[in-house]
Amino acid sequence: MCPHEPPCPSAESQDREAARTIAAHPEQGWSLLCNGVVLFEDTGELLPNGVAIAPHRPLPLVGAA
């Protein structure tokens, strides 16, 4: 249960990455969010139920210099 006000988004919500970081390990490339999501530096995620979300980096702009 999230102790923050307003509460952090749940692990099932689309904005789950907006939850607060409760443990950060940048040297290992991951952070644990308040909602139980493990967020990796490559933008991949591991949800509390074991589901893995593939990295979802934005695509580069075509024609950008």
Side-chain angles (χ1 to χ4, degrees):
M1 194 61 94
C2 176
H4 303 115
E5 279 300 323
C8 292
S10 72
E12 294 80 28
S13 67
Q14 290 294 322
D15 61 344
R16 63 182 154 259
E17 295 174 16
R20 292 190 189 185
T21 300
I22 58 173
H25 294 278
E27 72 283 358
Q28 296 177 356
W30 63 273
S31 297
L32 176 63
L33 305 182
C34 180
N35 55 10
V37 172
V38 177
L39 182 63
F40 297 98
E41 68 180 13
D42 69 353
T43 70
E45 303 171 23
L46 183 59
L47 304 184
N49 63 3
V51 172
I53 306 294
H56 47 280
R57 293 182 180 167
L59 297 174
L61 294 175
V62 175

